[in-house]
Amino acid sequence: MAQAEAKDWPFDLTAITAPDGSITAKFVSFGSTLTELWVKDKDGKTRDVVLGYDDNSRLLTDPDHPVFNGIVGRYANRIKNGTFSIPISKNPNPDHPNTHHLPTNDHDGEVTLHGGINGWDRRNWTVVEKSPTSVTYKHVDNADEGFPGIVTAFATHSVSNGGILRTVIRASTTEKTPIMLTQHTYWNLDAFQDGSNDILSHDLQLDASRFIEADDLALPTGKFTDVTNTPLDFRKEEKIGARWDKTVDLCGTGCVGYNGGWVLDHPDGEGPALSLASELSGIRLEISTNQPVVVVYTSYWLNTPRKDIHGGPSVNYSPSSAVAIEQQGYIAAINTPEWGVDQIYSPGKDYEWSSEYKFSTV
């Protein structure tokens, strides 16, 4: 859809609130996207702790495309040269009939990122069910962006007492195809109040002793880094900015901060995968998930006008102003056969992604 049509785009806006009033979430059907999330701080005041737009049509038209809080698919993160094969191989033969070609949209045409030019976060989903505490969206991916088969997905977002948000996504396919999804949410637990403009003082804890080693294109080398004695070690709660001067080039050449995948030590929802907390607001977030990897991105390339509630639009969201946390599968496993990770789904073999976000006060 052209930018000129964006104002008429038929977004469905839905707000859901827990019965005890502890949490309110707002979603739009475009990308099944979380646009606002209101939780209580240590003083009992509500704060909107996720980034976004005041004009949600910018989810479609923003050329920077930061992927604010949408469902990313059909395949999250990166695919080298936009090619993969079924069965998978490390360097697919581009002329083989089992090799599939996707449009590239990152690193000067060397990478397909987050599902392609118009991935699931840039598709309008259909509302199939609503209640005061939940909303379910449906998306049918008709072999878009060059992926094989038709994939039908249902995403259900719900809130419950005690400050809990849950998202569950189930998907089925008509043919063998890779599926790897994530919810690409940007967090700032201070909500840009009390003079706070970044997340460097947020405390992060990650249940992960291994990091996915990546090359200059942020693609996996196939190896894992032991986080011990590195700025990647968040097994004990640590401020995100505590070792900031040691993160140069960790998220790419010249980049300062974090942008990569940690392999969880206890996947499949065995306790929280991570926690994020702010002493300033007193808000604490614990995330549990059935996914094996968590990507943490400290928004180095972010340069987008803020929502009015966050002090915008004359002030921008900028590098380190938020942390994106993405629960997902192993990055680019469809091009990394040595891992033995199966991300190929087929009729009768369905996909499920789930995460729980639990808020409390410090």
Side-chain angles (χ1 to χ4, degrees):
M1 177 163 288
Q3 185 165 346
E5 298 175 288
K7 290 182 179 179
D8 298 322
W9 182 250
F11 290 114
D12 177 90
L13 176 62
T14 298
I16 55 177
T17 301
D20 66 357
S22 59
I23 185 169
T24 293
K26 294 184 180 181
F27 293 89
V28 290
S29 54
F30 195 75
S32 187
T33 298
L34 174 67
T35 60
E36 300 176 31
L37 186 63
W38 295 86
V39 297
K40 294 181 179 180
D41 64 17
K42 61 186 178 183
D43 298 319
K45 298 178 181 178
T46 57
R47 303 192 188 207
D48 178 10
V49 294
V50 299
L51 274 57
Y53 305 105
D54 286 323
D55 176 4
N56 287 315
S57 70
R58 296 198 65 213
L59 291 164
L60 170 65
T61 63
D62 186 349
D64 288 339
H65 192 200
V67 194
F68 279 150
N69 320 328
I71 302 300
V72 175
R74 172 183 311 192
Y75 196 88
N77 224 289
R78 291 165 170 79
I79 300 175
K80 183 179 180 180
N81 295 323
T83 59
F84 66 90
S85 64
I86 302 176
I88 69 171
S89 58
K90 195 165 188 69
N91 295 293
N93 180 343
D95 299 319
H96 196 280
N98 290 337
T99 297
H100 299 270
H101 300 269
L102 314 174
T104 56
N105 57 336
D106 193 53
H107 277 95
D108 298 320
E110 295 185 80
V111 173
T112 295
L113 177 64
H114 290 329
I117 296 170
N118 288 302
W120 287 12
D121 71 295
R122 283 199 158 180
R123 306 281 177 171
N124 200 29
W125 295 47
T126 302
V127 178
V128 294
E129 190 173 357
K130 281 187 187 183
S131 79
T133 58
S134 70
V135 59
T136 297
Y137 297 104
K138 177 183 178 181
H139 174 57
V140 179
D141 178 341
N142 289 300
D144 298 327
E145 303 294 298
F147 287 96
I150 298 172
V151 171
T152 302
F154 293 87
T156 298
H157 310 284
S158 61
V159 290
S160 56
N161 292 344
I164 295 173
L165 167 68
R166 293 186 181 90
T167 294
V168 177
I169 313 166
R170 295 181 174 90
S172 58
T173 178
T174 60
E175 296 180 30
K176 287 186 176 181
T177 186
I179 303 175
M180 183 173 74
L181 309 180
T182 194
Q183 191 170 28
H184 200 286
T185 307
Y186 286 83
W187 304 98
N188 184 307
L189 301 184
D190 296 328
F192 303 92
Q193 296 182 29
D194 305 316
S196 174
N197 290 300
D198 59 51
I199 42 75
L200 299 183
S201 63
H202 281 39
D203 292 300
L204 177 66
Q205 187 271 330
L206 277 165
D207 177 36
S209 56
R210 292 186 300 159
F211 183 82
I212 298 174
E213 184 180 280
D215 61 18
D216 289 341
L217 299 179
L219 290 162
T221 64
K223 300 178 181 179
F224 300 98
T225 298
D226 184 337
V227 302
T228 304
N229 297 322
T230 77
L232 299 165
D233 192 353
F234 286 95
R235 287 173 293 181
K236 294 182 179 179
E237 194 170 82
E238 183 70 81
K239 293 195 182 302
I240 291 176
R243 296 158 294 189
W244 202 245
D245 59 338
K246 297 180 181 179
T247 66
V248 178
D249 297 334
L250 271 183
C251 49
T253 303
C255 174
V256 180
Y258 298 96
N259 186 25
W262 279 258
V263 180
L264 296 175
D265 290 339
H266 303 92
D268 301 322
E270 298 176 16
L274 65 93
S275 66
L276 184 71
S278 167
E279 291 182 10
L280 185 63
S281 67
I283 297 172
R284 180 178 183 84
L285 165 63
E286 291 183 332
I287 302 178
S288 301
T289 183
N290 70 341
Q291 297 299 293
V293 170
V294 171
V295 171
V296 175
Y297 166 49
T298 51
S299 59
Y300 181 76
W301 292 278
L302 196 58
N303 185 32
T304 305
R306 296 184 192 176
K307 299 183 208 176
D308 180 68
I309 194 66
H310 290 161
S314 61
V315 180
N316 282 7
Y317 297 123
S318 56
S320 73
S321 64
V323 55
I325 298 174
E326 310 156 47
Q327 305 84 249
Q328 59 181 67
Y330 283 78
I331 301 168
I334 57 170
N335 291 146
T336 318
E338 60 265 39
W339 285 345
V341 174
D342 184 8
Q343 295 176 335
I344 304 300
Y345 294 83
S346 57
K349 180 188 175 183
D350 295 343
Y351 174 94
E352 181 173 319
W353 184 102
S354 66
S355 289
E356 177 183 284
Y357 307 88
K358 183 177 181 179
F359 290 89
S360 59
T361 51
V362 178

